[in-house]
């Protein structure tokens, strides 16, 4: 069983603790949707092309959820819900997004 100290005290750790507390089975891999936001269609295209070429499912739309960065790009990956995996994937997304003016805007998955 997981203990509170199994997750760092950061946003990802907080979400994972809530998932654990609601009974999620962390041994089951699932699709995770990571959202990155951008200001321009051109940035979205470059970012999306990069991850699509790596084999990820990529969906883009203009949501306006973040007014100054109205374009959302969702990158889907299949993995176990571990803090290390989530944090590493977020870092990779941000590494590609930063030169394009984008930033991470969260992630989600279905509980198992």
């Amino acid at each position: 069983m997981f203990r509170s100290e199994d997750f760092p005290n950061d946003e990802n750790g907080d979400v994972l603790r809530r998932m654990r507390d609601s009974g999620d089975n962390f041994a089951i891999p699932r699709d995770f949707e990571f959202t990155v936001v951008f200001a321009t269609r051109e940035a979205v295209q470059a970012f999306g092309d990069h991850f699509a070429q790596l084999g990820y499912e990529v969906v883009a739309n203009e949501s306006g959820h973040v007014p100054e960065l109205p374009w959302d790009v969702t990158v889907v990956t299949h993995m176990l819900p571990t803090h290390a995996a989530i944090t590493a994937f977020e870092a990779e997304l941000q590494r590609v997004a930063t030169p394009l003016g984008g930033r991470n805007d969260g992630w989600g998955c279905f509980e198992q």
Side-chain angles (χ1 to χ4, degrees), residues 2 7 16-17 19-20 24-30 80-81:
F2 290 99
F7 304 113
L16 290 167
R17 269 189 292 283
M19 290 169 61
R20 178 209 50 214
D24 196 312
N25 184 346
F26 283 30
I28 300 173
R30 76 281 315 262
L80 285 169

Side-chain angles (χ1 to χ4, degrees), residues 36-40 43 68-69 94 96-104:
V36 183
V37 291
F38 294 92
T40 68
E68 68 277 12
L69 301 168
Q94 192 61 58
V96 175
T98 295
L100 299 169
R103 70 169 168 81
N104 287 321

Side-chain angles (χ1 to χ4, degrees), residues 61-83:
N61 66 62
E62 188 174 14
S63 73
H65 172 72
V66 178
E68 68 277 12
L69 301 168
W71 289 91
D72 292 1
V73 179
T74 301
V75 179
V76 180
T77 187
H78 193 78
M79 64 183 179
L80 285 169
T82 68
H83 188 274

